[in-house]
C-alpha cells in the first residue's frame, strides 16, 4: 500500500478559505437585522426570529433539493460541475438574494426580506456542500479536518467582526443600539450595505473563476481506495439510485411541516386560543420536530443496515449518525448563544442590563474563533517543535483579539480577564488530542458536558464562565464530525456532504425548544439541553471510531 501523503494545495486552500470568511461575515449580520426589523416593521419577538428560521431553514431545503434532483435525474450536480464551479454558482445565487433584499427594503416588505435572506442562505447551502469536501480533497484525507478547521477559524473571524462592521455601516457607531437609532435608520444605508454585500459575492465568484491555482475539483467516477475497503454488498450497490434515502428525507420533511404548522398558526392575530393552550401547542410542535429528526434518522439507519440497496450515502452508518451529530452540534452552539443573554439578566448571574451583555456574547462567539485558530495549525507544514509552541500561543493571541475588538467597541472587558483559565483548559485538551478527529470530538464533547453540568450546579461568574466555555469546546466539532462522517464514502462524498449540510436545521429547532423549556422550568435549568447534546457528540465520536476501525479506516 502507498503510504505517501498527498501534498496540500496551499494556493487553492487560500482562495477557497476566503469563502469561509464571508459565510461568517454575512451570517453574523442577522444579529443586527433582527432588532432593526423588529422596530422598523413593528414585529413581535417571534416574527423577528423568522429571520433566523428562514436563514437556517434554507440550508436544509437547499441541500435537500440538490439531493432530490440528483436522485430523480441520476445526475450529481455538484459532482458533475466540480467543487469550484459549484461554489461560484452558490456565490452568484447569494448575490441574487442580496438583490432581492435591496428590492424588499426599498419597498418596505418584510416578507420580501425573508425571501432575500432565504435566497442568500440557499447559495450558502450550495457553497458549503461543495467547499467542505473540497477542503478535504486539497490535501491528504487524514489531515482534512485541519483544513476545515482553518476555514472555520477564518469563518469565526468573519463572525466576530461582522456585526461590528455592519453596525458601523448602518449606525455610524459600534456601540449598543437603542430603539430610537433603529427606528431612525435610513433605508438608503441598508440598500448601500446590501449592494456592497452583493458586490462582494460577485467579486469572490470572479476571483475563483479566474484563479488558475484552484482546481475544478470534480469527483471521479472510479471507486476511491477507501471504497475498496467497503464490503462486497456495499460495493455492489455503489451505483444504485438512493430512492429510499430520498423517500425517507421527504417523509421527514413532510412530518416537520406538519409539526411546525400549528406552531406558526398559534401566532396568527385574532386567534381564538387561550395563551396557555397556544404555548402548549408551541412546545409540543417544537418537541415533535426534534423527535421527527432523531427518530427519522435512527429508523432510516436501522433499515439501511438491513438492506443497503437504494439508500445511497445513507447506507453508511457513520454518515447517518454524523447527520444527527451535525444537527445536535449546530443546535447546541446556537442555543447556548441565543439563551445566554437572558441568563445574564438574572441577579444570581450578575443582573446585567441589555447594554452590559454584549461583551459576554462576543466572548462566547469569539471562543469558537479561539478554538478554530488553534485547530487550524496542522493545516500548515512546519516543524513539530514550532507546531507545539503555536498550539499554546495561537489561542492566547486569539483571546487577545476578542478582548481587543470588544474593548474598541466601547465595552468594559474587565469581567472577562479570568476567562483565560478556560482557554488554558482548552489548550491542554489540544495537546492531549493531537488533532485526532475521533479523540478530539470525544474529549471536547465530554468537556462540553462537564462545563454545562458545572454551570447548572453553580451561579455567579463561575457558572457564566462554564457556559461561555461551551463555545471553546464547540469550536472544532464541525470539522471533526465532517471528516469522520465522510470517511470511506468515496464518490458518495458529495451526496454525504449535502446530507450533513441539511442538518444545519438544528439551529432552527433546538434553540427555540430550549427557549420554550425555559418558560416552563426557568432559564438556568433549561441549559440541560446543552448537556444532553454534548453527551451525544461524545458518544458519536466513540461509536464512529470503532465502526470505521472495523472497516479498516483508522484516522487516529
Amino acid at each position: 500500500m502507498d503510504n505517501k501523503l498527498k501534498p496540500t494545495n496551499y494556493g487553492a486552500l487560500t482562495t477557497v478559505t476566503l469563502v469561509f470568511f464571508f459565510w461568517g461575515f454575512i451570517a453574523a449580520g442577522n444579529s443586527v437585522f433582527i432588532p432593526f426589523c423588529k422596530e422598523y416593521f413593528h414585529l413581535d419577538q417571534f416574527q423577528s426570529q423568522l429571520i433566523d428560521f428562514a436563514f437556517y431553514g434554507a440550508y436544509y431545503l437547499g441541500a435537500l433539493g440538490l439531493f432530490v434532483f440528483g436522485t430523480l435525474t441520476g445526475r450529481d450536480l455538484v459532482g458533475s460541475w466540480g467543487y469550484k464551479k459549484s461554489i461560484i454558482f452558490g456565490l452568484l445565487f447569494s448575490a441574487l438574494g442580496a438583490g432581492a433584499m435591496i428590492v424588499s427594503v426599498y419597498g418596505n416588505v418584510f416578507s420580501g426580506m425573508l425571501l432575500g435572506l432565504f435566497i442568500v442562505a440557499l447559495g450558502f447551502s450550495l457553497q458549503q456542500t461543495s467547499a467542505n469536501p473540497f477542503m478535504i480533497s486539497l490535501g491528504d484525507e487524514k489531515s482534512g479536518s485541519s483544513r476545515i478547521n482553518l476555514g472555520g477559524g477564518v469563518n469565526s473571524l468573519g463572525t466576530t467582526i461582522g456585526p461590528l462592521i455592519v453596525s458601523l455601516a448602518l449606525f455610524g457607531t459600534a456601540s449598543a443600539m437603542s430603539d430610537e437609532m433603529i427606528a431612525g435608520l435610513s433605508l438608503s444605508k441598508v440598500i448601500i450595505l446590501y449592494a456592497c454585500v452583493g458586490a462582494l459575492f460577485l467579486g469572490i465568484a470572479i476571483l475563483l473563476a479566474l484563479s488558475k491555482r484552484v482546481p475544478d475539483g470534480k469527483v471521479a467516477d472510479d471507486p476511491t481506495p477507501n471504497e475498496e475497503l467497503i464490503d462486497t454488498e456495499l460495493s455492489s450497490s455503489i451505483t444504485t439510485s438512493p430512492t429510499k434515502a430520498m423517500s425517507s428525507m421527504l417523509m421527514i420533511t413532510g412530518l416537520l411541516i406538519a409539526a411546525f404548522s400549528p406552531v406558526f398558526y398559534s401566532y396568527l392575530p385574532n386567534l381564538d386560543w387561550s395563551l396557555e393552550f397556544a404555548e402548549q401547542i408551541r412546545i409540543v410542535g417544537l418537541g415533535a420536530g426534534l423527535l421527527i429528526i432523531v427518530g427519522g434518522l435512527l429508523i432510516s439507519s436501522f433499515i439501511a443496515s438491513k438492506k443497503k440497496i437504494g439508500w445511497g450515502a445513507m447506507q453508511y452508518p457513520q454518515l447517518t449518525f454524523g447527520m444527527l451529530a451535525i444537527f445536535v452540534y449546530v443546535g447546541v452552539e446556537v442555543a447556548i448563544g441565543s439563551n445566554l443573554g437572558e441568563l445574564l439578566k438574572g441577579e444570581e448571574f450578575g443582573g446585567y442590563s441589555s447594554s452590559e451583555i454584549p461583551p459576554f456574547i462576543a466572548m462566547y462567539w469569539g471562543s469558537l474563533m479561539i478554538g478554530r485558530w488553534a485547530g487550524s495549525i496542522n493545516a500548515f507544514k512546519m516543524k513539530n517543535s514550532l507546531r507545539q509552541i503555536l498550539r499554546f500561543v495561537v489561542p492566547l493571541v486569539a483571546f487577545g483579539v476578542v478582548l481587543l475588538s470588544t474593548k474598541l467597541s466601547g465595552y468594559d472587558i474587565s469581567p472577562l480577564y479570568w476567562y483565560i483559565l478556560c482557554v488554558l483548559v482548552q489548550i491542554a485538551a489540544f495537546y492531549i488530542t493531537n488533532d485526532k478527529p475521533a479523540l478530539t470530538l470525544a474529549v471536547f464533547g465530554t468537556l462540553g458536558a462537564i462545563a454545562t453540568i458545572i454551570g447548572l450546579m453553580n451561579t455567579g461568574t463561575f457558572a457564566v464562565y462554564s457556559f461561555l466555555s461551551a463555545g471553546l469546546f464547540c469550536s472544532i466539532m464541525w470539522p471533526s464530525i465532517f471528516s469522520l462522517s465522510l470517511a470511506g464514502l468515496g464518490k458518495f462524498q458529495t451526496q454525504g456532504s449535502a446530507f450533513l449540510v441539511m442538518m444545519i436545521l438544528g439551529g432552527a429547532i433546538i434553540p427555540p425548544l430550549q427557549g420554550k423549556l425555559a418558560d416552563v422550568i426557568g432559564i438556568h435549568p433549561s441549559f440541560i439541553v446543552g448537556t444532553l447534546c454534548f453527551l451525544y457528540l461524545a458518544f458519536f465520536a466513540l461509536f464512529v471510531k470503532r465502526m470505521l476501525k472495523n472497516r479498516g479506516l483508522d484516522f487516529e
Side-chain angles (χ1 to χ4, degrees):
M1 180 180 292
D2 185 7
N3 292 320
K4 186 177 180 180
L5 298 179
K6 178 182 177 181
T8 299
N9 185 337
Y10 288 108
L13 182 64
T14 302
T15 305
V16 176
T17 299
L18 284 174
V19 180
F20 281 76
F21 174 82
F22 286 104
W23 292 342
F25 181 89
I26 300 303
N30 287 351
S31 62
V32 176
F33 281 101
I34 286 175
F36 158 68
C37 290
K38 182 177 181 180
E39 295 301 323
Y40 189 85
F41 291 104
H42 307 293
L43 308 174
D44 61 29
Q45 185 62 21
F46 171 78
Q47 290 170 324
S48 70
Q49 294 300 312
L50 289 176
I51 290 176
D52 272 341
F53 192 89
F55 196 81
Y56 288 109
Y59 277 96
Y60 175 76
L61 293 177
L64 178 63
L66 281 175
F67 170 60
V68 171
F69 178 87
T71 302
L72 294 178
T73 64
R75 182 188 176 197
D76 178 3
L77 280 180
V78 173
S80 60
W81 288 341
Y83 295 136
K84 177 180 176 179
K85 187 177 291 186
S86 298
I87 293 173
I88 292 172
F89 287 158
L91 287 165
L92 295 177
F93 211 78
S94 293
L96 178 64
M101 283 287 291
I102 293 173
V103 173
S104 301
V105 172
Y106 186 79
N108 288 326
V109 182
F110 177 63
S111 59
M113 287 188 66
L114 293 180
L115 177 62
L117 282 172
F118 183 84
I119 296 174
V120 169
L122 279 179
F124 283 2
S125 176
L126 178 55
Q127 293 167 45
Q128 290 216 19
T129 300
S130 312
N132 284 288
F134 198 13
M135 295 286 273
I136 295 176
S137 72
L138 291 177
D140 188 72
E141 186 175 354
K142 292 183 179 179
S143 61
S145 62
S146 295
R147 289 186 293 280
I148 299 180
N149 255 327
L150 173 63
V154 175
N155 175 273
S156 291
L157 177 62
T159 301
T160 301
I161 69 175
L164 299 177
I165 295 178
V166 171
S167 295
L168 284 168
L170 294 178
F171 309 113
T173 177
S175 59
M177 295 176 293
S178 66
D179 291 346
E180 291 76 14
M181 292 171 61
I182 296 172
L185 181 63
S186 171
L187 285 179
S188 63
K189 291 184 176 181
V190 181
I191 294 172
I192 292 172
L193 175 64
Y194 269 94
C196 293
V197 167
L200 285 172
F201 287 139
L202 290 174
I204 303 170
I206 293 172
L207 176 65
L208 277 174
L210 297 178
S211 177
K212 301 293 185 182
R213 56 187 178 180
V214 180
D216 291 335
K218 291 191 175 182
V219 180
D221 290 331
D222 296 330
T224 67
N226 281 340
E227 286 177 305
E228 296 172 1
L229 297 172
I230 308 301
D231 59 61
T232 304
E233 184 178 1
L234 289 178
S235 299
S236 66
S237 63
I238 202 79
T239 59
T240 303
S241 179
T243 53
K244 293 180 181 177
M246 180 186 69
S247 299
S248 175
M249 294 309 301
L250 289 177
M251 183 177 297
I252 288 174
T253 302
L255 290 174
L256 285 174
I257 293 173
F260 290 145
S261 293
V263 175
F264 289 102
Y265 183 72
S266 68
Y267 283 94
L268 291 177
N270 303 320
L271 187 65
D272 189 22
W273 282 0
S274 68
L275 180 61
E276 181 179 358
F277 181 68
E279 286 298 320
Q280 291 174 350
I281 289 293
R282 295 160 194 167
I283 294 174
V284 171
L286 291 169
L290 179 63
L291 291 177
I292 288 166
I293 289 291
V294 176
L297 291 178
L298 293 180
I299 292 172
S300 296
S301 180
F302 175 78
I303 296 174
S305 68
K306 299 299 182 182
K307 190 173 182 180
K308 301 172 177 62
I309 295 176
W311 284 96
M314 287 183 71
Q315 65 188 268
Y316 303 104
Q318 68 267 34
L319 187 278
T320 310
F321 280 81
M323 291 168 65
L324 185 54
I326 287 290
F327 177 87
V328 167
Y329 153 70
V330 176
V332 68
E333 178 183 282
V334 178
I336 292 177
S338 298
N339 290 282
L340 188 61
E342 186 65 25
L343 180 79
L344 291 169
K345 292 180 180 179
E347 289 298 327
E348 64 272 36
F349 297 99
Y352 296 99
S353 65
S354 297
S355 62
E356 296 171 317
I357 289 173
F360 296 94
I361 303 299
M363 182 55 70
Y364 174 76
W365 292 109
S367 293
L368 275 80
M369 184 182 77
I370 294 170
R372 287 169 181 170
W373 280 20
S376 65
I377 293 172
N378 280 2
F380 301 96
K381 186 177 181 180
M382 65 184 72
K383 292 182 179 180
N384 186 57
S385 57
L386 177 59
R387 180 177 290 109
Q388 297 304 321
I389 293 173
L390 291 178
R391 206 170 261 169
F392 182 81
V393 173
V394 169
L396 298 180
V397 172
F399 175 63
V401 169
V402 177
L403 286 180
L404 180 61
S405 62
T406 306
K407 178 70 174 178
L408 293 176
S409 300
Y411 294 107
D412 177 20
I413 60 174
S414 59
L416 297 170
Y417 289 149
W418 286 105
Y419 187 66
I420 193 173
L421 297 177
C422 297
V423 177
L424 292 175
V425 172
Q426 186 199 50
I427 291 174
F430 272 117
Y431 279 110
I432 293 172
T433 56
N434 198 29
D435 201 45
K436 298 177 180 179
L439 179 61
T440 298
L441 187 58
V443 169
F444 278 68
T446 301
L447 287 173
I450 292 173
T452 51
I453 290 173
I454 292 175
L456 287 166
M457 297 175 63
N458 293 276
T459 57
T461 302
F462 195 59
V464 172
Y465 277 11
S466 296
F467 291 128
L468 284 178
S469 68
L472 293 170
F473 305 131
C474 279
S475 60
I476 43 71
M477 288 185 169
W478 174 278
S480 296
I481 297 170
F482 234 89
S483 295
L484 293 169
S485 301
L486 297 182
L489 267 63
K491 71 175 185 179
F492 277 139
Q493 276 201 349
T494 299
Q495 188 184 111
S497 177
F499 279 130
L500 292 173
V501 172
M502 287 181 204
M503 292 299 103
I504 292 177
L505 181 67
I509 295 180
I510 293 180
L513 183 61
Q514 179 180 343
K516 288 302 178 185
L517 184 63
D519 290 336
V520 178
I521 65 175
I523 185 63
H524 189 200
S526 73
F527 279 83
I528 188 67
V529 171
T531 303
L532 297 175
C533 290
F534 281 122
L535 288 175
Y536 172 76
L537 292 167
F539 159 78
F540 169 75
L542 298 176
F543 168 81
V544 77
K545 177 183 177 181
R546 183 174 63 179
M547 187 202 64
L548 291 176
K549 192 171 184 179
N550 290 339
R551 294 191 177 278
L553 295 169
D554 190 358
F555 281 16
E556 308 282 286

Coordinates of all heavy atoms in Angstrom, one line a residue, residues 44-46 262-263 265-267 271 273-287 512-520:
D44 N -43.5 41.4 16.5 CA -43.3 40.9 17.8 C -42.0 40.1 17.8 O -41.4 39.9 16.8 CB -44.5 40.1 18.3 CG -44.9 38.9 17.4 OD1 -43.9 38.3 16.8 OD2 -46.0 38.5 17.3
Q45 N -41.7 39.5 19.0 CA -40.4 38.8 19.1 C -40.4 37.6 18.2 O -39.3 37.3 17.6 CB -40.2 38.4 20.5 CG -38.8 37.8 20.8 CD -37.6 38.7 20.5 OE1 -37.8 39.9 20.4 NE2 -36.5 38.1 20.2
F46 N -41.5 36.8 18.1 CA -41.5 35.6 17.3 C -41.3 35.9 15.8 O -40.5 35.3 15.1 CB -42.8 34.8 17.5 CG -42.9 33.7 16.6 CD1 -42.3 32.5 16.8 CD2 -43.8 33.8 15.4 CE1 -42.4 31.5 15.9 CE2 -43.9 32.8 14.5 CZ -43.2 31.6 14.8
P262 N -48.8 24.0 13.2 CA -49.6 24.6 14.4 C -48.8 25.6 15.2 O -49.4 26.5 15.7 CB -49.8 23.3 15.2 CG -49.7 22.1 14.3 CD -48.6 22.6 13.3
V263 N -47.5 25.5 15.2 CA -46.7 26.5 15.9 C -46.9 27.9 15.3 O -47.1 28.9 15.9 CB -45.2 26.1 15.9 CG1 -44.3 27.2 16.5 CG2 -45.0 24.8 16.6
Y265 N -49.3 28.7 13.2 CA -50.7 29.1 13.3 C -51.1 29.7 14.6 O -51.9 30.6 14.7 CB -51.5 27.8 13.0 CG -53.0 28.0 13.0 CD1 -53.6 28.7 11.9 CD2 -53.9 27.6 14.0 CE1 -55.0 28.9 11.8 CE2 -55.2 27.8 14.0 CZ -55.8 28.4 12.9 OH -57.1 28.7 12.8
S266 N -50.4 29.2 15.7 CA -50.7 29.7 17.0 C -50.4 31.2 17.2 O -50.8 31.8 18.2 CB -50.0 28.9 18.1 OG -48.6 29.1 18.0
Y267 N -49.6 31.8 16.3 CA -49.2 33.2 16.4 C -50.0 34.1 15.5 O -49.8 35.3 15.4 CB -47.7 33.3 16.0 CG -46.8 32.9 17.1 CD1 -46.3 31.6 17.1 CD2 -46.4 33.8 18.1 CE1 -45.4 31.2 18.1 CE2 -45.5 33.4 19.1 CZ -45.0 32.1 19.1 OH -44.2 31.7 20.1
L271 N -56.6 35.0 16.9 CA -56.9 33.6 17.0 C -57.6 33.3 18.3 O -57.1 33.8 19.4 CB -55.6 32.8 17.0 CG -55.7 31.3 16.9 CD1 -56.3 30.8 15.6 CD2 -54.3 30.6 17.0
W273 N -57.6 31.3 20.7 CA -57.0 30.3 21.6 C -56.5 31.0 22.9 O -56.1 32.2 22.9 CB -55.8 29.7 20.9 CG -56.1 28.7 19.9 CD1 -57.3 28.2 19.5 CD2 -55.1 27.9 19.1 NE1 -57.2 27.3 18.5 CE2 -55.9 27.1 18.3 CE3 -53.8 27.9 19.0 CZ2 -55.3 26.2 17.4 CZ3 -53.2 27.1 18.1 CH2 -53.9 26.2 17.3
S274 N -56.6 30.3 24.0 CA -56.0 30.9 25.2 C -54.5 30.9 25.1 O -53.9 30.1 24.4 CB -56.5 30.0 26.4 OG -55.9 28.7 26.4
L275 N -53.9 31.8 25.8 CA -52.4 31.9 25.8 C -51.8 30.6 26.2 O -50.8 30.1 25.7 CB -52.0 33.0 26.6 CG -50.4 33.3 26.7 CD1 -49.9 33.6 25.3 CD2 -50.1 34.4 27.6
E276 N -52.4 30.0 27.3 CA -51.8 28.7 27.8 C -51.9 27.6 26.8 O -50.9 26.9 26.6 CB -52.6 28.3 29.1 CG -52.0 27.1 29.8 CD -52.8 26.7 31.0 OE1 -53.7 27.5 31.4 OE2 -52.5 25.7 31.6
F277 N -53.0 27.5 26.1 CA -53.1 26.4 25.1 C -52.2 26.7 23.9 O -51.6 25.7 23.4 CB -54.6 26.4 24.6 CG -54.8 25.3 23.6 CD1 -54.8 24.0 23.9 CD2 -55.1 25.6 22.3 CE1 -55.0 23.0 23.0 CE2 -55.3 24.7 21.3 CZ -55.2 23.3 21.7
A278 N -52.1 27.9 23.5 CA -51.1 28.3 22.4 C -49.7 27.9 22.8 O -49.0 27.4 21.9 CB -51.3 29.8 22.1
E279 N -49.3 28.2 24.0 CA -47.9 27.9 24.5 C -47.7 26.4 24.5 O -46.6 25.9 24.1 CB -47.7 28.4 25.8 CG -47.5 30.0 25.9 CD -46.3 30.4 25.1 OE1 -45.2 29.7 25.1 OE2 -46.4 31.4 24.4
Q280 N -48.7 25.6 24.9 CA -48.6 24.1 24.8 C -48.5 23.6 23.4 O -47.7 22.7 23.2 CB -49.9 23.5 25.5 CG -50.0 23.8 27.0 CD -51.3 23.2 27.6 OE1 -52.2 22.9 26.8 NE2 -51.4 23.2 28.9
I281 N -49.2 24.2 22.5 CA -49.1 23.9 21.1 C -47.7 24.1 20.6 O -47.1 23.3 19.8 CB -50.1 24.7 20.2 CG1 -51.5 24.2 20.5 CG2 -49.8 24.5 18.7 CD1 -51.8 22.7 20.1
R282 N -47.1 25.2 21.0 CA -45.7 25.6 20.5 C -44.7 24.6 21.1 O -43.8 24.2 20.3 CB -45.4 27.0 20.9 CG -46.3 28.0 20.2 CD -46.3 29.4 21.0 NE -47.4 30.2 20.4 CZ -47.8 31.3 21.0 NH1 -47.3 31.7 22.2 NH2 -48.8 32.0 20.5
I283 N -44.8 24.3 22.3 CA -43.9 23.3 22.9 C -44.0 21.9 22.3 O -43.0 21.3 22.0 CB -44.1 23.2 24.5 CG1 -43.8 24.6 25.1 CG2 -43.3 22.1 25.1 CD1 -44.1 24.6 26.6
V284 N -45.2 21.5 22.1 CA -45.4 20.2 21.5 C -44.9 20.1 20.1 O -44.3 19.2 19.6 CB -46.9 19.8 21.6 CG1 -47.2 18.5 20.7 CG2 -47.4 19.6 23.0
G285 N -45.2 21.2 19.3 CA -44.7 21.3 17.9 C -43.2 21.2 17.8 O -42.7 20.5 17.0
L286 N -42.6 22.0 18.6 CA -41.1 22.1 18.6 C -40.5 20.7 19.0 O -39.5 20.2 18.5 CB -40.6 23.2 19.4 CG -40.8 24.6 18.9 CD1 -40.5 25.7 20.0 CD2 -40.0 24.9 17.6
G287 N -41.1 20.2 20.1 CA -40.6 18.9 20.6 C -40.8 17.8 19.6 O -40.0 16.9 19.4
P512 N -35.1 27.4 19.8 CA -36.4 27.8 20.3 C -37.0 26.7 21.3 O -37.8 27.0 22.1 CB -37.3 27.9 19.0 CG -36.5 27.1 18.0 CD -35.1 27.3 18.3
L513 N -36.6 25.5 21.1 CA -37.0 24.4 22.0 C -36.5 24.7 23.4 O -37.3 24.6 24.4 CB -36.6 23.0 21.5 CG -37.0 21.8 22.4 CD1 -38.5 21.7 22.4 CD2 -36.4 20.5 21.8
Q514 N -35.2 25.1 23.5 CA -34.7 25.4 24.9 C -35.4 26.7 25.4 O -35.7 26.8 26.6 CB -33.2 25.7 24.8 CG -32.6 26.1 26.2 CD -31.1 26.3 26.2 OE1 -30.4 25.9 25.3 NE2 -30.7 27.0 27.2
G515 N -35.7 27.6 24.5 CA -36.4 28.8 24.9 C -37.8 28.5 25.5 O -38.2 29.1 26.6
K516 N -38.5 27.6 24.9 CA -39.8 27.2 25.4 C -39.7 26.4 26.7 O -40.5 26.6 27.6 CB -40.6 26.4 24.4 CG -41.1 27.2 23.2 CD -42.0 28.4 23.7 CE -42.4 29.2 22.5 NZ -43.2 30.4 23.0
L517 N -38.6 25.6 26.8 CA -38.4 24.9 28.0 C -38.1 25.8 29.2 O -38.5 25.6 30.3 CB -37.2 23.9 27.8 CG -36.9 23.0 29.0 CD1 -38.0 22.0 29.3 CD2 -35.6 22.2 28.7
A518 N -37.4 26.9 28.8 CA -37.1 27.9 29.9 C -38.3 28.6 30.4 O -38.4 28.9 31.6 CB -36.1 29.0 29.3
D519 N -39.3 28.7 29.6 CA -40.6 29.3 30.0 C -41.3 28.4 31.1 O -42.0 28.9 31.9 CB -41.6 29.5 28.9 CG -41.1 30.6 27.9 OD1 -40.4 31.5 28.4 OD2 -41.5 30.6 26.7
V520 N -41.0 27.1 31.0 CA -41.6 26.1 31.9 C -40.8 25.9 33.2 O -41.4 25.9 34.3 CB -41.9 24.8 31.2 CG1 -42.5 23.8 32.1 CG2 -42.7 25.0 29.9

